[in-house]
Amino acid sequence: MTELPARRLLLVHAHPDDESINNGATMARYAAEGAHVTLVTCTLGERGEVIPPELRHLTGAALGEHRLRELADALAGLGVTDFRLLGGAGRYADSGMMGIPDNDDPGCFWQADVDEAAASLAEVVLEVRPQVVVAYDDNGGYGHPDHIQAHRVALRAVERAADAGWTVPKVYLNRVPRSVAEAAFDRLRQELPGLPFARSAAVSDVPGVVDDELITTEIDGAAYAAAKAAAMRAHATQIEVAPDERHFALSNELAQPLFTTEYYQLVRGETGRPPGRDGEAGGSPETGGNRETDLFAGIEEGV
Ligand SMILES: [Zn+2]
């Protein structure tokens, strides 16, 4: 077996575009720093709503193929070269938004057997041996069936991999601190007249918003803001990025802030910050510097 790269990060996402919205800056940063970054996407998002009128003829398999190309472009810009579709191309179909008849399609990810899907993902985990896995919370961030399922499959795969010989040292959930989301929407509403969107989304539209105390880790991606905006723009069927690159909208055309600091909640493993030593580990001043600023903090090299 060839020697593994020193730092290995694996992210699990439901559809093409979720990786860039949630983790674009994080992925670009770790790829640039030489970490091995692996993305596993569970569906091709073929039930997504298409924004540009000239592309609205794309539906079903044709949309899935198109979104796969968008994803490839996004990842090229982020410097990520290791990308897998869970179970292989076309294994799991997009389930659509919660509550629609498509949720009952036997081929959709929502109807997938969690153990079977987790076995596929565990194979990747055992091959890549990530020290860090990033997933959604148990509500999938915002209640989309594929995101909820991606959470279940990711956490189950981590368990299966542990039973088979690789214990992932740190597992994180994608999060946004409530104070950050609220402040960003306050600013957004003031800037709205200058944006190409008529109305603002709300804090409740942002996936993964939680009380600030639950946030263990923040990754400052300011240096990768342009890379993140470009990756989001690559998903042109799904995302419209404002010219200022600080705001975007999905197909509902509601303006949202584009976060370049990305936030996480550690749910498995130990944080790498020194306990009880405020200020030493960095993090933003508002949090007293008590958050990790590196997903790999505390991981010994060579593990
Ligand atoms: Zn999604």
Side-chain angles (χ1 to χ4, degrees), residues 1-139:
M1 194 170 161
T2 53
E3 205 174 317
L4 293 167
R7 297 195 296 168
R8 303 173 303 276
L9 166 65
L10 185 146
L11 305 100
V12 182
H13 278 292
H15 311 110
D17 79 353
D18 293 314
E19 78 298 326
S20 297
I21 297 170
N22 286 279
N23 312 109
T26 301
M27 294 170 82
R29 173 182 149 180
Y30 284 108
E33 291 179 358
H36 186 87
V37 179
T38 302
L39 171 68
V40 180
T41 301
C42 299
T43 82
L44 288 174
E46 61 272 46
R47 287 188 166 111
E49 266 187 61
V50 174
I51 297 175
E54 67 276 18
L55 294 176
R56 285 197 192 138
H57 62 279
L58 293 170
T59 57
L63 178 58
E65 270 177 44
H66 187 89
R67 291 190 67 177
L68 188 55
R69 287 196 294 276
E70 291 181 338
L71 179 59
D73 288 346
L75 294 179
L78 295 174
V80 173
T81 55
D82 186 8
F83 159 66
R84 330 283 180 104
L85 283 169
L86 184 65
R91 176 66 186 84
Y92 298 110
D94 187 341
S95 310
M97 289 294 186
M98 187 64 94
I100 65 171
D102 289 337
N103 300 166
D104 300 326
D105 171 359
C108 83
F109 191 45
W110 184 236
Q111 295 295 334
D113 181 88
V114 172
D115 271 315
E116 188 191 317
S120 293
L121 182 56
E123 280 178 31
V124 181
V125 173
L126 289 166
E127 176 200 326
V128 174
R129 298 185 165 233
Q131 296 109 333
V132 176
V133 165
V134 171
Y136 305 118
D137 64 66
D138 59 2
N139 179 40

